[in-house]
Amino acid sequence: MAKKSISEKTPHGKDDSGTKTDDQLDPNNPPDFSDPEDYVDDIDDEELLDDILPLRPSETDGVESVIIVDGVPKVDPKKLEKLQMVIEKIFTKFGKILHKDYPQDENEMTKGYTFFEYDNPQSALAAVKGANNHKIDKSHTLKVNLFTDIKKFKNIPNEWEPPKPQPFKAASDLHSYLLDPDAYDQFCVAAGHSPLVVQIWQNAQPEPAILKERNGWTDTYVKWSPLGTYLATFHSARGVALWGGPEFERIARFAQKDVELVDFSPNERYLVTFSPRADASEKRLVMWDILTGQEKRSFNPDGPNVWPIFRWSCNDKYVAYMGEDVLSVYETPSFGLLDKKSIKIPGIRDFSWSPTDNIIAFWVPEDKDVPARFTLMEIPSRNEIRKNNLFNVADCKIFWQKSGDYLCVKVDRFAKKKEKTEQKYTESCKFQTLQHFAGMSYNFEIFHIREKLIPVDSVEIKEPIHAFAWEPVGTKFAIIHGEIPTVNVSFYEVRCGHGPALLKKFEKKACNHVFWSPQGQFVVLAGLTTMSGALEFIDTNDFTIMNLTDHYQASDVEWDPTGRYVVTSVSSWKTSVDNGYWLWTFQGRILKRVNVNQFHQFLWRPRPPTLLSAERIKEIKKNLKKYSAQFESKDRLRLTRASKELIDKRCALMKEFEAYRAKRIEQYNEQKKGRLQLRRNIVTDELDSDTQNMDEEKVEFFIKEESFILDK
């Protein structure tokens, strides 16, 4: 039976079922699609519109820029205007507020909460992060949430379920590099462009060995933490990451856009990140807890500042910030103001913490007839343990000795009358003071911190000063002074009960920087950048010049933590010619030259302070000759033998050859009988034992002879 087509109709305009078709419906009597009165619909909307219902509008849609501020004081209409000024001063710094509402009850008292609508969702989110938990007074703390959080709070289950315990994950050993049996140091090299390549090397002998290499590990540069535990990398969109452990795994990440500068606390408990180009609605300076990754506090410092803006005490217990006429000291871990108030110091210009004690040194310039003042203050007591008046002061610089025993204050004085000094803000976030040296003198005030009443010695130099540096371990300091291009270098020693003694003065030297060995005694005088990289290695025990050389256009000098090696480098950030680094011994003997295209950084990995007591260190130094012979023989053995990998390869090849040789000798002996038969028992091989007397004949013939003169 043939099937009908779709368009085929039956007679009288009906289909096979007897129902009228669409073209035959009566227009005067339209069909009724209503359900009967007793009809029950057993299909719900979720079944019919399963794919559409999730897209339905929510009551919170379109209000992403609205925040709810709770914890606002309840006031009457008379105090409402003052309340609005206080509250809106806090929230206007995050963005432009389009609408605001302070709900009131029937008595016109505010209800303790308010609404703000910003012009964009980003400002609302910044307000939540920046103003939440903000204290107005002792009784009121603001709680700030997005209006869209209503949905989140509505979906909180009625019954609380305890969180499931997470499986234990053992942390990697962050100090594994200290367990190297030969105590090899590590260093980091950054080079290249898009992507920037970062390499971690071990300074092994006879050749350094690469430990880790990654492309695009950082966007700009890298930095070691003070004790060498972490390596910090910078990522413009994601923030700062810390890496550590044997495989340099990511330990923590701190989300903040466009971070350009970081600063670790001395004991590596806290991290400060700074985004100088951040918008007004974004955080510029944030303090983090490294162990938990938690944000502790944020600041938006105004105007140019010398980095680091916040400076840490030696034990991570305090961090201080210098504002206009105030010094604010915050205590950890709360990061609240010490004693809930700043220290008022009118005109404060600069300050610095002692590297070993909770002591702050700061100075204040002259004000009309009041002389300049330098002060040492204990924290947290705020007691001024030493105060020194200074006259005719143009500028001061503070230099602490690493052990905290001494402090030097470099005082630039006007010899006749005051001349104007100009300050220029540079891109490196530092103030560069431009001065006219004519008619000026320079005093170095040496404070003996450990002695009773903290006596002060003074050294005066009437020539321009280019550099000052303390010996890290010891009592010496060096000063570069004089007119460029030939300057003088003077070495002094601090002595108890007497003024600083001049030990040695080198004249007409081409240098502008002093680099002391971390262990003291040895020093490198370097003429960096503008002086074409002149280098001079000096032993300050007897002031012997161990080597006088140069590294053309050298821009940086880095001592390793042990003081055995020093690296000079030419960074592409300073010049694009001859980029790379050279490795020297502390005596100035060149060990290695490495040329790297687009080389940027060379950084030795720091080591934590030794756990040995001062008496134990003194004993080791006294008996050093007993140990030195052992170490020298070990060093010679390393330098003369091949690397371990090469030795293992040679041993494997030798074993393979001996096995092959033994197999062939065995085959040779098996074929001996047949070989003799073929030769009619005439022995021609020395390996055969049954040798016979044979005649020997020697044949000599001339091949060729040439004569020529060698060029000298």
Side-chain angles (χ1 to χ4, degrees), residues 501-531:
L502 177 63
L503 300 178
K504 182 69 175 180
K505 182 178 180 180
F506 293 97
E507 297 182 348
K508 297 182 180 181
K509 295 294 181 181
C511 62
N512 52 12
H513 289 78
V514 180
F515 298 95
W516 284 94
S517 165
Q519 305 303 322
Q521 182 178 345
F522 303 102
V523 69
V524 175
L525 303 179
L528 301 184
T529 309
T530 58
M531 291 190 175

Side-chain angles (χ1 to χ4, degrees), residues 410-469:
K410 172 180 168 285
V411 183
D412 300 354
R413 299 183 186 275
F414 296 106
K416 298 179 181 178
K417 62 178 181 179
K418 292 187 178 179
E419 300 179 14
K420 292 184 179 179
T421 61
E422 177 186 356
Q423 287 190 328
K424 179 181 178 182
Y425 182 65
T426 63
E427 293 182 355
S428 60
C429 296
K430 294 182 178 180
F431 281 107
Q432 180 183 4
T433 303
L434 307 178
Q435 299 174 339
H436 181 57
F437 290 118
M440 297 189 70
S441 64
Y442 306 89
N443 285 71
F444 295 87
E445 308 290 334
I446 309 299
F447 290 75
H448 298 245
I449 304 298
R450 309 297 181 194
E451 297 182 33
K452 187 176 181 180
L453 300 179
I454 311 182
V456 181
D457 296 327
S458 183
V459 174
E460 183 179 6
I461 296 179
K462 295 185 178 181
E463 295 178 331
I465 306 299
H466 304 284
F468 174 93

Side-chain angles (χ1 to χ4, degrees), residues 557-573:
V557 175
E558 289 276 346
W559 281 93
D560 82 315
T562 65
R564 296 185 63 191
Y565 304 98
V566 63
V567 166
T568 58
S569 59
V570 181
S571 174
S572 62
W573 293 334

Side-chain angles (χ1 to χ4, degrees), residues 523-691:
V523 69
V524 175
L525 303 179
L528 301 184
T529 309
T530 58
M531 291 190 175
S532 301
L535 301 172
E536 196 161 352
F537 295 79
I538 299 176
D539 182 352
T540 61
N541 273 359
D542 52 8
F543 293 96
T544 302
I545 299 177
M546 298 179 291
N547 192 15
L548 182 61
T549 180
D550 68 275
H551 183 181
Y552 182 66
Q553 290 193 338
S555 58
D556 300 280
V557 175
E558 289 276 346
W559 281 93
D560 82 315
T562 65
R564 296 185 63 191
Y565 304 98
V566 63
V567 166
T568 58
S569 59
V570 181
S571 174
S572 62
W573 293 334
K574 303 290 180 64
T575 178
S576 59
V577 181
D578 297 333
N579 298 142
Y581 60 91
W582 292 4
L583 179 65
W584 311 75
T585 66
F586 68 96
Q587 297 169 322
R589 180 169 57 88
I590 186 69
L591 296 177
K592 194 175 186 64
R593 295 181 175 91
V594 181
N595 295 323
V596 182
N597 188 29
Q598 291 185 325
F599 167 83
H600 303 310
Q601 278 183 288
F602 182 102
L603 297 174
W604 289 102
R605 186 172 191 173
R607 285 179 172 267
T610 179
L611 300 178
L612 299 176
S613 62
E615 293 76 13
R616 180 59 177 159
I617 294 175
K618 186 176 180 180
E619 181 183 351
I620 292 175
K621 288 183 177 180
K622 183 178 179 181
N623 301 321
L624 191 59
K625 292 183 179 180
K626 183 174 66 176
Y627 306 108
S628 60
Q630 174 186 352
F631 295 134
E632 287 175 0
S633 62
K634 195 173 183 179
D635 289 341
R636 285 195 298 269
L637 182 62
R638 284 199 196 97
L639 294 174
T640 55
R641 71 182 182 184
S643 64
K644 185 177 183 300
E645 293 79 6
L646 183 59
I647 292 176
D648 293 341
K649 183 178 179 181
R650 288 176 177 175
C651 290
L653 291 174
M654 190 64 185
K655 290 180 181 179
E656 182 180 351
F657 170 75
E658 290 177 350
Y660 175 81
R661 183 172 183 275
K663 181 179 178 181
R664 292 307 177 197
I665 291 177
E666 182 181 359
Q667 182 182 8
Y668 179 87
N669 293 331
E670 291 176 354
Q671 296 174 352
K672 177 180 177 180
K673 186 175 180 180
R675 190 170 58 254
L676 291 176
Q677 290 177 353
L678 292 174
R679 297 174 183 169
R680 299 178 182 179
N681 293 327
I682 298 176
V683 179
T684 59
D685 201 317
E686 293 181 358
L687 294 177
D688 295 328
S689 58
D690 51 345
T691 58

